[in-house]
Amino acid sequence: ILRPWHLHSLDGRVDLSFVPLTDRQARTSAGPLQSHIHQLVGIYSGRLPGPGTNSLTVHDVLGVAEDHYARW
């Protein structure tokens, strides 16, 4: 999971690399209340859609990728 990721859209407008630095997981279960969270903090670089047909290039931007399940 701490290997670099490649994220992209089918139309090519999103083309990012994500290099995870840390991995955080937490689980809470209190009867019917549950929360399972998995967060990776890392560095994003690449291209994102901008206004119109333009694109935005990012280099070494700190960010998060997260999977969160909650039942309240």
Side-chain angles (χ1 to χ4, degrees):
I1 248 175
L2 290 178
R3 295 185 312 267
W5 299 8
H6 180 225
L7 300 95
H8 64 279
S9 62
L10 293 176
D11 66 3
R13 295 187 68 207
V14 174
D15 187 16
L16 291 172
S17 66
F18 176 70
V19 179
L21 301 174
T22 62
D23 182 357
R24 176 183 175 271
Q25 296 185 46
R27 289 182 171 263
T28 303
S29 246
L33 306 177
Q34 293 184 10
S35 176
H36 306 169
I37 190 163
H38 187 186
Q39 295 175 320
L40 295 171
V41 176
I43 303 294
Y44 285 95
S45 293
R47 188 178 65 247
L48 294 166
T53 59
N54 296 322
S55 62
L56 174 66
T57 301
V58 295
H59 295 285
D60 299 333
V61 175
L62 186 63
V64 175
E66 174 179 287
D67 179 29
H68 186 197
Y69 166 79
R71 183 172 70 181
W72 306 105

